[in-house]
Amino acid sequence: MSSPEAGPLSPPTTGTDRRTAVLDSALATFARFGYRKTSMEEVARAAQISRPGLYFLFSSKEALFRAAVTQVLERDIAAVEHALADADRPLQERLVEAFDRWAGRYVGPLTCDIAVVVEDNPDLLGEIAKTAPRRFEELITEAIAAESGQETATAVAQTLISASIGLKHQAASREFYLERLKAAIGLLVH
């Protein structure tokens, strides 16, 4: 029998689940209003938590922002690692999925706000703003080197990353981004 507060279909949540949900809500709120205009009160409301409860989890807006972005970057890197590890699929297919997980899901009218708020506030993020993109480049380079050889892997990976960045800012939709990215990967990866 479930408690009346939880409702009959509410799954039990752990502290980790709650923290993850708060960070997801925080990132969406930062994306909507921007870092400077977002208040802890707005994040608390979006996360359905009291403001004192939010401050119990995160000592400041800066700490909350850093944790929210770190969580999403770590998820993105894990998804990229997973996509590239599937050696049963062709390299080009794995690369498209890896770039989609890293950048493609941030293309389009609503999702681009998340990328913008992160790009506009690198000083608030600390090391993760540098380590995550470096790790992404390493993963792409390693995948290309494993299939095509090391001598051109770094240059190809860097060129694909540059193409992805350009496409991300140019594309009006995720589909457009992926279509053009497939073309670039097809030209550079054999």
Side-chain angles (χ1 to χ4, degrees):
M1 190 102 173
S2 61
S3 70
E5 296 83 26
L9 299 176
S10 297
T13 59
T14 65
T16 304
D17 292 340
R18 184 68 180 140
R19 181 179 167 86
T20 299
V22 168
L23 291 173
D24 288 341
S25 293
L27 190 63
T29 306
F30 284 123
R32 183 173 176 203
F33 298 111
Y35 176 79
R36 295 194 199 308
K37 292 182 182 177
T38 297
S39 69
M40 292 293 272
E41 181 67 35
E42 288 166 317
V43 173
R45 195 172 21 258
Q48 299 177 341
I49 189 174
S50 69
R51 200 171 97 200
L54 183 60
Y55 275 107
F56 177 76
L57 292 172
F58 305 97
S59 61
S60 67
K61 183 168 82 166
E62 183 178 324
L64 173 62
F65 180 71
R66 186 177 301 118
V69 172
T70 297
Q71 174 179 277
V72 79
L73 289 173
E74 287 173 351
R75 271 192 211 149
D76 290 350
I77 289 293
V80 168
E81 287 173 337
H82 181 74
L84 293 173
D86 186 1
D88 292 337
R89 293 173 44 215
L91 176 61
Q92 290 183 7
E93 212 176 276
R94 291 183 283 143
L95 288 171
V96 169
E97 183 179 345
F99 274 95
D100 186 36
R101 301 295 276 178
W102 179 250
R105 65 192 197 96
Y106 299 109
V107 173
L110 299 175
T111 55
C112 69
D113 295 341
I114 293 170
V116 168
V117 79
V118 170
E119 290 168 6
D120 286 352
N121 298 283
D123 51 317
L124 297 174
L125 297 177
E127 273 304 298
I128 193 77
K130 296 175 187 153
T131 58
R134 267 198 310 261
R135 180 66 181 137
F136 177 72
E137 183 178 332
E138 289 169 4
L139 290 167
I140 296 298
T141 302
E142 290 166 8
I144 293 168
E147 296 271 331
S148 308
Q150 188 62 45
E151 65 280 347
T152 61
T154 301
V156 170
Q158 290 172 344
T159 302
L160 288 174
I161 290 167
S162 295
S164 171
I165 292 167
L167 288 170
K168 190 173 87 168
H169 292 287
Q170 177 181 61
S173 71
R174 186 176 187 175
E175 293 75 23
F176 177 87
Y177 167 84
L178 289 172
E179 178 186 309
R180 294 291 173 93
L181 188 66
K182 283 178 191 174
I185 289 171
L187 290 169
L188 294 170
V189 179
H190 304 291

